[in-house]
């Protein structure tokens, strides 16, 4: 029997959520106290009250909140607040809409930055204007389904989770409210990334420090918008109304849109990223659901953590890098030529036809040694 | 057109008029005109679309294609036209409903409009240059008149204040080609910002000062002008022009060039640069023999 028949969900069932959350999730979700995970291999938690606390205000991608690349002191407790917003988003220039589920109102959610051994303390708010149950699974955290089992909240609730960032790297976070709700929430936009920097900053494979002048966060999102009989994208009253149709499209594994920053063209034109010759840019790229292969047309990856984990030596001089679905990667590049660069998913069908294209506008002086047009176009033999 | 100078567009037109094509065209036109004279109502398979006649006036347009001067890409020259021919142009872009008649007559291939852009009162979109040429042929047969795409120059003439100018106004700089890339990107971005991308019902864009509707809106218009590259001498005169008629220009919010068979400029854009939102067209009605003779008459005695 076709499995999708099992999930002919009503809005009420969606709201209940627990029907899909599985026994483990449901039981753990009733444990009210966060921060009492089993003792980690790093030993019992220190007296957190004695640690410095820092409140961070998150900013919407592709921008990243201010942060130090090298930590000035010891571990801190870094406090974040994220509000979940269910909202209708326009995802292409033709007005196609989706009922998006978002961390803090954006697709992807904001990039959080801490240092290794910091404590991440997140207050997650699910306002009662929302319809659905949500939670958060941090791939960089340890235990409780990445925190998902401790953060499942209904509309009108909030929860606070604290976890220790033990491994340096860029990691995905996403909503995972159980069963078929998991992929549905993730491909409705409910994912983002966190960057856990080594306390002494990034390094190449030989221990030499690597620094960036600028960091951009590019979150790649696959959308699965159902079409009507004539092939036009459909719109729905609510997220729940579109659920059955959307699951059918999701099962084809063929996205209708593959975009950066939540919409076709969200990082082009007046929203294009900027840099200049001589500037070093760190591009953090996440894909919570599906493999991707970033490529900077006309540039390279000087140092690339394809798996995104900073204790591994970065690859150097890459043309295209691979980011496995459900992970984030980071690429460091110093621009050497001015011009317009396209930053694409180098499945070029996805880049051009489905939307996965961003642009960099780079100012500066041209370097003839790197490239020159020796002869302008002229008739053959001329 | 200005006497004495050879402009790129004049060359492009003369390049198209091969003797054989001219002969065939003349014979065909003669046939249509004979038919039209026998049946003055011309109530064949299609109603005659509403047109507007644009009286001659001096105007200027930016020459078309890419221009090279001393190895550097430069703006094309601004071409001044003192006494253009009068032009009879469709008031509106060809609609979904109008185009459907050509498809029903099996003379046109179905358009591929964007989702939701298939209502009969919308301008037809998702049409290639090839489609537009087919439609012009069919409309000619169906109305007993001759129809064709306008050239870029004619479009600018008709668009008046709605026509843009894609000149970047930069000093030629072979040392840093990126200057032009960045400036062109900024210009296209400014032209694209905040405007609707979905086709709007005909008439929504209003009339310009010459009575032409919906110019430079969400639907770009195919023209009869080929892509090509012009190499300029140091004094600005044309050294050579190489036509590339596998692609034609579109006019609209900004000038764009597109391969003849493309119907959709792709949602993600070119790798750099911003594509037209939708591809459509409107046609010029050629004056028939009667109109041409009347025009000569008016020219002789009109004291213009
Ligand atoms: Cu969720």
């Amino acid at each position: 029997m076709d499995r999708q028949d099992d999930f002919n969900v009503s809005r009420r069932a969606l709201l209940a959520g627990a029907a899909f959350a599985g026994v483990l999730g449901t039981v753990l979700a009733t444990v009210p106290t966060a921060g009492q995970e089993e003792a980690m291999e790093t030993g019992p938690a220190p007296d957190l009250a004695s640690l410095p606390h820092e409140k961070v205000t998150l900013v919407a991608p592709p921008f990243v909140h201010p942060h130090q690349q090298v930590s000035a002191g010891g571990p801190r407790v870094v406090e974040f607040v994220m509000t979940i917003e269910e909202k209708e988003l326009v995802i292409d220039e033709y007005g196609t809409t989706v009922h998006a589920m978002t961390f803090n109102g954006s697709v992807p959610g904001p990039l959080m930055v801490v240092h290794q051994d910091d404590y991440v303390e997140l207050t997650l708010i699910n306002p009662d204007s929302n319809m659905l149950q949500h939670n958060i699974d941090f791939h960089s955290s340890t235990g409780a389904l990445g925190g998902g089992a401790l953060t499942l909240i209904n509309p009108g609730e909030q929860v606070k989770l604290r976890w220790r960032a033990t491994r340096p790297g860029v990691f995905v976070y996403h909503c995972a409210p159980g069963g078929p709700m998991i992929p549905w929430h993730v491909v409705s936009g409910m994912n983002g990334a966190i960057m856990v920097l080594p306390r002494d900053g990034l390094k190449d494979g030989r221990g030499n420090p690597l620094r960036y002048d600028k960091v951009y966060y590019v979150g790649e999102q696959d959308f699965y918008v159902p079409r009507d009989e004539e092939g036009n994208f459909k719109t729905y009253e609510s997220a729940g109304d579109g659920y059955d149709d959307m699951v059918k499209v999701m099962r084809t594994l063929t996205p209708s849109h593959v975009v950066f920053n939540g919409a076709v063209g969200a990082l082009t034109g007046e929203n294009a990223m900027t840099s200049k010759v001589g500037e070093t840019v760190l591009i953090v790229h996440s894909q919570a659901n599906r493999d991707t292969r970033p490529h900077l047309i006309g540039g390279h990856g000087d140092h690339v953590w394809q798996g995104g984990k900073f204790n591994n030596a970065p690859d150097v001089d890459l043309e295209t890098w691979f980011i496995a679905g459900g992970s984030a990667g980071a690429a460091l590049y110093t621009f050497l030529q001015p011009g317009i660069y396209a930053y694409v998913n180098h499945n070029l069908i996805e880049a051009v036809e489905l939307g996965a294209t961003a642009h960099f506008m780079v100012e500066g002086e041209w370097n003839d040694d790197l490239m020159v047009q020796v002869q302008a176009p002229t008739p053959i033999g001329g | 057109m200005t006497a004495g100078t050879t402009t790129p567009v004049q060359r492009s037109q003369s390049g198209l008029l091969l003797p054989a094509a001219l002969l065939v065209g003349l014979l065909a036109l003669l046939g249509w005109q004979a038919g039209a004279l026998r049946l003055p109502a011309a109530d064949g398979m299609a109603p005659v679309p509403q047109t507007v006649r644009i009286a001659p006036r001096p105007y200027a347009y930016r020459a078309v294609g890419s221009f090279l001067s001393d190895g550097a890409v430069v703006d094309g020259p601004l071409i001044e036209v003192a006494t253009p021919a009068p032009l009879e142009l469709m008031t509106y872009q060809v609609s979904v409903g109008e185009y459907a008649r050509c498809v029903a007559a099996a003379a046109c291939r179905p358009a591929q409009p964007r989702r939701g852009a298939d209502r009969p009162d919308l301008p037809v979109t998702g049409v290639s240059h090839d489609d537009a040429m087919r439609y012009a042929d069919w409309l000619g047969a169906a109305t007993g008149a001759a129809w064709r795409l306008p050239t870029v120059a004619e479009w600018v003439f008709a668009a008046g204040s709605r026509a843009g100018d894609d000149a970047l106004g930069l000093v030629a700089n072979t040392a840093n080609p990126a200057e032009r890339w960045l400036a062109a990107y900024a210009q296209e971005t400014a032209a694209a910002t905040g405007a609707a991308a979905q086709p709007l019902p005909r008439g929504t864009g209003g009339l310009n000062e010459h009575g032409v509707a919906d110019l430079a809106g969400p639907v770009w218009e195919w023209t009869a002008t080929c892509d090509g590259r012009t190499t300029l001498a140091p004094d600005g005169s044309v050294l050579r022009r190489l036509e590339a008629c596998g692609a034609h220009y579109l006019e609209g919010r900004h000038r764009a060039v597109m391969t003849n068979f493309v119907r959709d400029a792709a949602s993600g854009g070119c790798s750099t640069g911003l594509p037209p939102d939708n591809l459509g067209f409107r046609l010029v009605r050629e004056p028939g023999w009667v109109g041409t003779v009347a025009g000569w008459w008016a020219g002789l005695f009109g004291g213009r």
Side-chain angles (χ1 to χ4, degrees):
Chain A
M1 161 178 152
D2 193 326
R3 229 175 86 86
Q4 76 199 21
D5 294 337
D6 300 341
F7 302 121
N8 196 359
V9 280
S10 66
R11 193 175 305 174
R12 172 189 288 244
L14 289 173
L15 276 168
F20 301 104
V23 175
L24 178 67
T26 308
V27 170
L28 286 179
T30 60
V31 177
T33 46
Q36 293 186 350
E37 305 93 329
E38 296 96 328
M40 287 176 287
E41 59 185 11
T42 47
D47 177 11
L48 295 181
S50 69
L51 293 185
H53 285 237
E54 185 189 347
K55 281 186 167 54
V56 168
T57 303
L58 293 164
V59 301
F63 304 106
V64 180
H65 66 79
H67 59 272
Q68 302 294 322
Q69 293 183 49
V70 175
S71 171
R76 302 161 303 157
V77 178
V78 188
E79 300 173 15
F80 299 91
V81 178
M82 283 208 284
T83 302
I84 296 160
E85 279 183 56
E86 298 168 9
K87 62 200 290 194
E88 207 169 19
L89 283 185
V90 176
I91 61 165
D92 63 26
E93 63 274 52
Y94 302 97
T96 304
T97 56
V98 295
H99 288 279
M101 308 173 200
T102 71
F103 287 108
N104 243 28
S106 61
V107 176
L111 184 75
M112 310 159 79
V113 184
V114 300
H115 284 89
Q116 185 176 7
D117 293 329
D118 283 348
Y119 292 83
V120 176
E121 192 170 286
L122 172 71
T123 302
L124 187 65
I125 301 169
N126 190 0
D128 63 7
S129 50
N130 287 344
M131 297 278 290
L132 304 165
Q133 197 176 45
H134 302 282
N135 67 355
I136 191 165
D137 165 358
F138 283 102
H139 288 189
S140 45
S141 74
T142 309
L145 307 175
L150 299 173
T151 54
L152 195 66
I153 46 175
N154 291 308
E157 293 181 325
Q158 68 175 52
V159 67
K160 195 187 278 192
L161 177 74
R162 183 171 60 233
W163 54 274
R164 191 167 177 189
T166 54
R167 300 160 200 269
V170 284
F171 297 80
V172 159
Y173 64 76
H174 63 90
C175 185
M181 291 296 100
I182 298 173
W184 186 49
H185 283 228
V186 169
V187 301
S188 294
M190 214 163 172
N191 61 86
I194 183 167
M195 178 160 69
V196 181
L197 287 165
R199 296 213 75 82
D200 54 352
L202 299 174
K203 293 201 171 69
D204 70 8
R206 300 189 185 88
N208 303 308
L210 294 172
R211 297 291 174 263
Y212 46 88
D213 300 308
K214 204 174 223 181
V215 54
Y216 281 114
Y217 169 41
V218 178
E220 182 173 327
Q221 181 70 53
D222 41 333
F223 285 116
Y224 301 82
V225 185
R227 297 172 190 266
D228 63 19
E229 303 74 31
E230 281 147 22
N232 298 316
F233 287 122
K234 293 173 78 168
T235 53
Y236 298 91
E237 278 280 295
S238 70
D241 289 339
Y243 174 76
D244 287 331
D245 286 355
M246 189 166 148
V247 169
K248 287 187 187 117
V249 182
M250 286 159 58
R251 284 171 170 234
T252 67
L253 302 179
T254 305
S256 59
H257 299 72
V258 178
V259 303
F260 295 153
N261 220 34
V264 176
L267 298 178
T268 65
E270 64 174 4
N271 299 316
M273 298 177 282
T274 60
S275 187
K276 54 193 178 212
V277 170
E279 196 171 63
T280 300
V281 178
L282 182 70
I283 307 167
V284 176
H285 191 123
S286 70
Q287 225 301 7
N289 194 60
R290 200 168 171 276
D291 298 345
T292 184
R293 51 205 69 70
H295 174 92
L296 180 65
I297 301 180
H300 300 94
D302 288 338
H303 294 88
V304 183
W305 293 269
Q306 301 199 62
K309 307 307 170 272
F310 297 137
N311 277 341
N312 302 300
D315 289 313
V316 296
D317 300 336
L318 294 194
E319 56 177 317
T320 297
W321 40 104
F322 182 77
I323 295 175
S327 76
L332 199 64
Y333 184 59
T334 303
F335 282 98
L336 302 175
Q337 292 279 41
I340 308 292
Y341 289 72
Y343 177 80
V344 300
N345 171 341
H346 208 289
N347 177 324
L348 294 169
I349 302 163
E350 297 180 10
V352 178
E353 298 291 335
L354 300 189
T357 297
H359 291 157
F360 276 95
M361 291 186 284
V362 181
E363 310 257 350
E365 288 304 310
W366 185 261
N367 182 341
D368 273 345
D369 185 45
L370 287 172
M371 185 182 287
V372 71
Q373 186 180 50
V374 178
Q375 182 189 44
T378 190
I380 295 163
Chain B
M1 292 258 167
T2 321
T5 59
T6 305
T7 67
V9 166
Q10 283 172 329
R11 280 175 157 239
S12 96
Q13 286 170 340
S14 63
L16 288 171
L17 294 177
L18 297 168
L22 187 62
L23 189 61
V24 169
L26 283 173
L27 288 171
L29 205 56
L30 194 59
W32 279 323
Q33 287 305 311
L37 287 174
R38 248 193 341 268
L39 295 167
D43 59 348
M45 290 171 276
V48 177
Q50 185 182 331
T51 58
V52 58
R53 193 180 152 86
I54 300 158
R57 68 172 200 289
Y59 78 106
Y61 70 98
R62 184 65 55 185
V64 185
S66 48
F67 285 79
L68 279 176
S69 177
D70 195 21
V73 179
V74 295
D75 292 334
L78 194 67
I79 297 177
E80 314 244 347
V81 185
T83 52
L87 187 71
E88 188 178 350
L89 184 68
M90 287 183 177
T91 305
Y92 300 98
Q93 294 164 339
V94 173
S95 72
V96 169
E98 288 170 337
Y99 189 82
R101 291 171 193 266
C102 180
V103 176
C108 288
R109 292 177 299 201
Q112 291 171 356
R114 287 275 177 175
R115 36 209 178 261
D118 52 0
R119 281 176 21 212
D121 62 329
L122 293 174
V124 68
T125 53
V127 284
S128 65
H129 187 267
D130 296 343
D131 292 332
M133 299 287 278
R134 279 196 179 80
Y135 183 83
D137 285 350
W138 169 81
L139 189 64
T143 61
W147 299 87
R148 62 169 174 81
L149 287 171
T151 63
V152 161
E154 288 169 334
W155 191 92
V156 172
F157 172 58
S161 59
R162 303 280 180 100
D165 181 0
D166 61 0
L168 297 173
L170 299 177
V171 177
N173 185 357
T174 41
N176 191 348
E179 278 181 9
R180 282 195 77 83
W181 304 335
L182 288 162
Y185 189 80
Q187 188 183 66
E188 286 179 18
T189 295
T193 297
Q198 194 72 9
L200 301 167
R202 294 206 301 178
T204 307
L207 301 177
N208 76 346
E209 65 274 23
H210 306 304
V212 185
D214 304 331
L215 291 155
V219 180
W220 270 247
E221 301 177 17
W222 285 104
T223 73
T225 301
C226 294
D227 194 8
R229 189 191 312 280
T230 306
T231 308
L232 299 175
D235 67 356
S237 65
V238 174
L239 270 183
R240 78 177 85 88
R241 176 168 168 84
L242 201 69
E243 293 278 333
C245 289
H248 281 80
Y249 273 89
L250 291 124
E251 277 287 359
R253 247 179 256 145
H254 57 78
R255 201 175 273 177
V257 67
M258 200 68 54
T259 304
N260 293 354
F261 54 79
V262 170
R263 292 185 168 134
D264 181 341
S267 59
C270 338
S271 68
T272 65
L274 301 172
D277 293 325
N278 302 282
L279 313 186
F281 66 101
R282 79 178 83 214
L283 298 175
V284 169
R285 183 177 179 167
E286 291 273 33
W289 290 135
V290 174
T292 306
V293 171
W296 291 337
W297 213 249
L300 280 174
F301 297 102
R304 67 178 180 186

